[in-house]
Amino acid sequence: MLKKSERVRTFTRHDLRAAIYHCCPTLSRAEARKIFNETFDELSDALVRGEPVKLRNFGTFNLRAKRQRTGRNPKTGVEAVISARRVVTFRPSPALLTQINRESVDCLPD
């Protein structure tokens, strides 16, 4: 088990906003926040409308409908109805996969 100091840090909305702010020195923090919020509002709205969101060299977010089904609590074995719902799926682009795999190979010990 990893110790607290060895755990991987989660990249958050705050980190993304800070990255926007730092890469564009002419932006104020408020402007960077507005750009970030507007971008994610547009992405969210497109998914709510059922439209796929494709980000070049990153991947595609799609909406998938799941039917109602009967599930089972693994601990107690009690059956329960799982309602129909929509879920978001993500498929990474080949460019992102290549980058991830190249960097993960560089991190492996010899």
Side-chain angles (χ1 to χ4, degrees):
M1 183 172 185
L2 293 175
K3 296 178 183 177
K4 260 190 176 179
S5 61
E6 296 174 341
R7 290 187 185 149
V8 176
R9 187 177 164 284
T10 301
F11 194 70
T12 65
R13 292 172 63 96
H14 179 276
D15 297 328
L16 285 170
R17 284 194 310 262
I20 293 169
Y21 174 71
H22 291 298
C23 80
C24 302
T26 59
L27 291 178
S28 68
R29 286 192 189 274
E31 291 169 327
R33 184 181 318 111
K34 183 177 180 180
I35 290 169
F36 175 84
N37 290 338
E38 289 295 322
T39 301
F40 275 85
D41 287 346
E42 286 297 320
L43 293 173
S44 300
D45 291 346
L47 288 169
V48 168
R49 290 188 305 265
E51 300 170 3
V53 175
K54 295 180 182 181
L55 302 174
R56 187 175 177 163
N57 293 331
F58 186 72
T60 304
F61 295 91
N62 283 306
L63 208 56
R64 183 172 161 228
K66 295 186 107 179
R67 290 182 280 191
Q68 178 176 316
R69 63 186 176 91
T70 303
R72 187 181 310 272
N73 182 329
K75 190 172 184 178
T76 63
V78 174
E79 288 188 358
V81 174
I82 300 172
S83 61
R85 63 199 185 280
R86 297 189 308 172
V87 296
V88 176
T89 61
F90 175 72
R91 184 160 190 242
S93 73
L96 178 61
L97 289 174
T98 300
Q99 184 178 359
I100 289 169
N101 287 320
R102 181 178 45 234
E103 291 180 11
S104 66
V105 169
D106 294 341
C107 295
L108 293 175
D110 292 327

